[in-house]
């Protein structure tokens, strides 16, 4: 695995040896992180070093969440969670073929959608009917995850005749590159009267639009759980190896207390994500409750996990030569993406009343 090293030089008579990598060999493949974002990592090759295999299409939600969590832990530079947990299931539900390669999604963007081949109608406004479902789409898909690297983007939007799901390839759009704090691609795709063939369009029920939002939030929560686990691993390793006043940092009571808090927050996120797996497979009212709880907990814990990890690492944790930032910048970014803790806390609490709260908490999905 590739590692980053620094040249041998002398600082205050202390020599830094280039034979010792700054980032341990078992940490991350840093070449992928500092390369151009267009060079997307291959995660489907099981023979690659530290590969995270893309689960099969018939994998359970629990298996998909485990893979997404591992991708978050390793900061895999690829849309594994977006592909496995969001795009592929939505395409199957809509009855559309699933393209090969990495996929992304855009949920409920503000688009202008009309029929490309309007039909004459004796009633209603002009263009309210079409000879087929071929669409003309104008507008912007904002901050599409890994937009430039995706082979296709799954779009769910409102049309004059109801919600629709369609696919498009990024090369058909005017792409404005962007990124989040972790330098993951978040690209704007500008569409100017793009014609989407009827074969790539499906009319969908409003429930599928709701499911898309839930899937995206749960995928992001699983990634946060993985990054949180990485923060725990790196922090425990650092406080065990780093000595001060003749003993490891982990032997100081104040450090132990902060480590315990860090481990606790990471465990809360992991448990909340796992609790949402079965309801998403089986359906029912528990889905919204468990997914909202998972994303609320994940986003709320992300800031505290990053704070403790950086505080216990000290200055070294703020450098690009140390792998901690690969986890914490993702935590800060993913916290807000697909709904932050405030949004999902409202979704969690709004349908609950005094009469429904206790059954919702105690009923087994």
């Amino acid at each position: 695995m590739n590692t980053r090293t620094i040249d041998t030089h002398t600082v205050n008579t202390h020599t830094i040896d280039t034979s010792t990598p700054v980032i341990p060999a078992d940490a991350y493949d840093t070449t992928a992180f500092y390369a151009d974002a267009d060079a997307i990592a291959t995660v489907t090759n099981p023979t690659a070093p530290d590969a995270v295999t893309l689960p099969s299409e018939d994998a359970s939600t629990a298996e998909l969440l485990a893979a997404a969590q591992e991708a978050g832990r390793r900061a895999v530079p690829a849309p594994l969670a977006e592909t496995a947990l969001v795009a592929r299931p939505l395409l199957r539900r809509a009855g559309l073929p699933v393209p090969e390669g990495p996929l992304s999604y855009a949920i409920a963007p503000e688009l202008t959608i009309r029929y490309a081949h309007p039909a004459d109608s004796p009633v209603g406004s002009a263009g309210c009917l079409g000879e087929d479902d071929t669409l003309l789409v104008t507008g912007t898909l904002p901050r599409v995850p890994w937009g430039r690297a995706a082979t296709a983007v799954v779009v769910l939007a409102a049309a004059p005749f109801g919600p629709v799901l369609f696919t498009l390839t990024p090369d058909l759009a005017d792409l404005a590159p962007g990124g989040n704090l972790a330098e993951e691609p978040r690209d704007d795709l500008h569409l100017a009267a793009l014609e989407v063939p009827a074969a790539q369009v499906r009319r969908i029920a409003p429930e599928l639009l709701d499911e898309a939002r839930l899937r995206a939030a749960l995928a992001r929560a699983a990634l946060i759980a993985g990054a949180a686990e990485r923060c725990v691993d790196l922090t425990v390793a650092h406080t065990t190896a780093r000595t001060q006043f003749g003993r490891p940092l982990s032997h100081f009571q104040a450090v132990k207390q902060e480590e315990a808090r860090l481990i606790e927050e990471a465990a809360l996120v992991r448990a909340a994500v796992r609790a949402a797996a079965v309801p998403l497979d089986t359906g029912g009212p528990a889905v919204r409750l468990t997914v909202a709880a998972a994303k609320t907990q994940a986003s709320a814990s992300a800031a505290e996990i990053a704070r403790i990890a950086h505080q216990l690492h000290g200055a070294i944790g703020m450098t690009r030569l140390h792998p901690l930032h690969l986890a914490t910048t993702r935590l800060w970014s993913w916290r807000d993406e697909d709904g932050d803790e405030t949004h999902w806390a409202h979704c969690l609490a709004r349908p609950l009343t005094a009469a429904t709260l206790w059954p919702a908490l105690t009923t087994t999905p």
Side-chain angles (χ1 to χ4, degrees):
M1 178 173 292
N2 295 309
T3 57
R4 291 174 67 88
T5 60
I6 54 180
D7 293 334
T8 302
H9 62 283
T10 301
V11 181
N12 295 332
T13 72
H14 294 285
T15 301
I16 301 176
D17 186 359
T18 55
S19 63
T20 302
V22 176
I23 298 177
D26 64 346
Y28 297 102
D29 183 352
T30 55
T31 301
F33 297 105
Y34 298 116
D36 190 283
D38 291 317
I40 187 171
T42 300
V43 296
T44 56
N45 179 8
T47 63
D50 277 351
V52 179
T53 304
L54 191 66
S56 62
E57 293 188 19
D58 59 352
S60 67
T61 299
E63 293 171 319
L64 298 178
L65 288 174
Q69 185 173 329
E70 185 64 13
R73 190 182 75 85
R74 300 186 190 182
V76 171
L80 185 145
E82 291 86 345
T83 300
L85 272 164
V86 185
R88 292 199 314 195
L90 293 177
L91 288 172
R92 289 197 299 271
R93 287 287 306 276
L96 285 172
V98 179
E100 294 291 332
L103 305 175
S104 189
Y105 61 86
I107 300 173
E110 294 184 3
L111 300 174
T112 300
I113 300 177
R114 57 190 177 89
Y115 286 112
H117 309 132
D120 294 331
S121 173
V123 295
S125 59
C128 66
L129 295 177
E131 295 179 358
D132 57 24
D133 281 346
T134 302
L135 303 178
L136 282 180
V137 183
T138 301
T140 298
L141 308 181
R143 296 184 61 79
V144 176
W146 297 91
R148 75 196 74 168
T151 57
V153 177
V154 179
V155 183
L156 297 95
F161 46 83
V164 293
L165 181 151
F166 60 89
T167 60
L168 59 87
T169 55
D171 60 336
L172 297 176
D174 181 11
L175 189 147
N180 60 16
L181 188 62
E183 301 178 23
E184 294 180 305
R186 296 293 184 265
D187 304 321
D188 292 343
L189 303 183
H190 302 288
L191 313 177
L194 175 67
E195 183 171 315
V196 182
Q200 296 173 213
V201 178
R202 291 292 185 275
R203 304 187 189 201
I204 60 173
E207 290 76 16
L208 189 58
L209 191 58
D210 291 337
E211 180 183 332
R213 294 189 180 97
L214 294 174
R215 284 188 170 277
L218 186 57
R220 205 62 59 192
L223 290 169
I224 290 175
E229 183 181 344
R230 188 61 177 172
C231 286
V232 171
D233 294 343
L234 291 172
T235 302
V236 171
H238 175 76
T239 57
T240 302
R242 180 82 164 86
T243 59
Q244 191 71 30
F245 303 110
R247 55 177 175 163
L249 290 178
S250 59
H251 288 192
F252 290 90
Q253 188 64 32
V255 173
K256 288 182 179 180
Q257 291 172 343
E258 287 292 88
E259 277 191 346
R261 178 71 182 275
L262 174 64
I263 295 169
E264 174 188 280
E265 292 288 341
L268 283 172
V269 177
R270 189 166 58 250
V273 169
R274 288 177 179 174
V278 173
L280 194 60
D281 275 336
T282 58
V287 177
R288 177 171 291 275
L289 177 71
T290 54
V291 172
K295 188 56 166 74
T296 300
Q297 183 63 62
S299 291
S301 295
E304 186 69 359
I305 290 168
R307 180 194 68 79
I308 296 173
H310 275 293
Q311 184 173 20
L312 296 185
H313 272 82
I316 188 64
M318 300 300 296
T319 66
R320 286 180 71 89
L321 291 177
H322 194 280
L324 180 63
H325 77 280
L326 297 173
T328 55
T329 54
R330 281 164 172 76
L331 286 176
W332 290 322
S333 299
W334 294 338
R335 173 187 183 180
D336 294 329
E337 292 178 350
D338 296 300
D340 61 11
E341 63 267 37
T342 301
H343 170 82
W344 284 106
H346 288 165
C347 293
L348 179 64
R350 192 174 295 119
L352 297 177
T353 64
T356 61
L357 177 59
W358 184 247
L361 294 176
T362 57
T363 301
T364 302

